[in-house]
Structures are given as structure tokens and as C-alpha cells.
Amino acid sequence: SDQLALYRNEKVGFVFQTFNLLARTSALDNVALPLLYSPRGRDGARAKAKACLAKVGLADREHHQPSELSGGQQQRVAIARALVNDPHIILADEPTGALDSEGGHEVLELFRRLHAGGQTVLMVTHDDEVAAAGDRIVHMRDGRIVSAAEVAALAAGTAQL
């Protein structure tokens, strides 16, 4: 389990619907947190965290606590935290679910830019508009992947279950 935890810390970035930021901790320290648990990441942790905040457009908010940031800004801090270890993939679970439409559009645009820069992003959502922002959509029902024809049949009410 230690090896799995190390793999998740160094190779996978996680973005959650509820941000999961430490309330009494600055944006900078929230972003640097995963580096404290990584044997290779402690050196230069603050510089890496600053670079990630700049990448998500929050360089000027590094000393602010989550309560001093909008929902969209908090989610961008969470995305910066997911990026700080240069992960192979970012897993995002309903990353726009707790945001207003403007904040949601900001987050989707940020994911588009990250993807255009070579970052793999896997996003889970129940929102068709959010899903449409992706390059590829895979539908699941009851834990299994379903075909586009099954999705259409479900939407039309003609599916046999």
C-alpha cells in the first residue's frame, strides 16, 4: 500500500468537486502540500507551488486563504495542487459541480489549456454540457461502459434494461 500511495502522490493529480483545501492555509501552502509527502519533491517546494499557481492564473493570490477566494479560484488552487508533482494524469471528479457558470467555464478553459499543453485529464461528470467540453466522451451506466447507441436509446426511452 505504501508503493501505491507513492505512485498516486507522484503520478496522479486529483481534483475534487469540493476542492479539499486546508481552510487556514494559504493558497501557496495548499499547493505545496503534496510535495511534503514526496521524497523527491521537498526541495524547491515553494518555487514549484508558485509556478503552478502562476500556471492557473493565481500568482497574485498565493498568500490568500481559501475563504478569501471565490469558488472558481479555490478550484484553480486545487488544480494547481494536482499539477505540482507533474503527474502523468489528472483525475477530476465533478470539478465544476460546486461552481457557478462563470467559475465552471474558467475551470473548463484551464483544463483545455492544460490538455493542449500535453497534460492528460480524465474528468467525471453528470453534466452533458461539461462533458461536451472534452475531446472524447465515454458513457457509463451502472459501472459499465455503454455504447453511443445505448445512450441514445436510454435518452429516447426505448432501451431494454
Side-chain angles (χ1 to χ4, degrees):
S1 71
D2 288 347
Q3 287 178 320
L4 285 174
L6 184 62
Y7 181 84
R8 283 189 298 268
N9 176 266
E10 294 186 348
K11 306 295 183 191
V12 182
F14 294 94
V15 178
F16 304 97
Q17 178 177 353
T18 55
F19 320 134
N20 291 337
L21 300 176
L22 298 176
R24 295 189 176 129
T25 304
S26 70
L28 181 65
D29 289 337
N30 266 289
V31 173
L33 189 62
L35 297 171
L36 302 179
Y37 294 98
S38 173
R40 66 176 177 83
R42 289 186 183 117
D43 293 336
R46 292 180 72 78
K48 288 177 187 176
K50 283 181 182 221
C52 286
L53 280 171
K55 193 172 198 173
V56 300
L58 292 175
D60 61 331
R61 308 291 273 174
E62 69 181 47
H63 298 295
H64 289 75
Q65 293 182 352
S67 63
E68 300 171 313
L69 302 171
S70 71
Q73 289 171 329
Q74 288 180 57
Q75 190 62 299
R76 287 190 284 154
V77 170
I79 293 168
R81 181 185 56 205
L83 292 169
V84 77
N85 273 329
D86 298 316
H88 292 263
I89 187 169
I90 293 178
L91 301 178
D93 181 17
E94 296 284 1
T96 62
L99 303 176
D100 61 19
S101 59
E102 182 181 342
H105 290 296
E106 288 176 2
V107 167
L108 292 176
E109 181 55 36
L110 175 57
F111 281 142
R112 279 188 202 99
R113 285 196 328 263
L114 291 170
H115 179 66
Q119 180 67 60
T120 300
V121 178
L122 183 117
M123 182 171 43
V124 176
T125 184
H126 290 92
D127 185 328
D128 290 337
E129 187 178 328
V130 172
D135 288 345
R136 182 173 180 211
I137 299 172
V138 177
H139 292 274
M140 295 190 73
R141 181 171 177 86
D142 298 328
R144 68 178 185 88
I145 295 174
V146 295
S147 70
E150 288 174 288
V151 172
L154 286 167
T158 60
Q160 297 285 328
L161 298 179

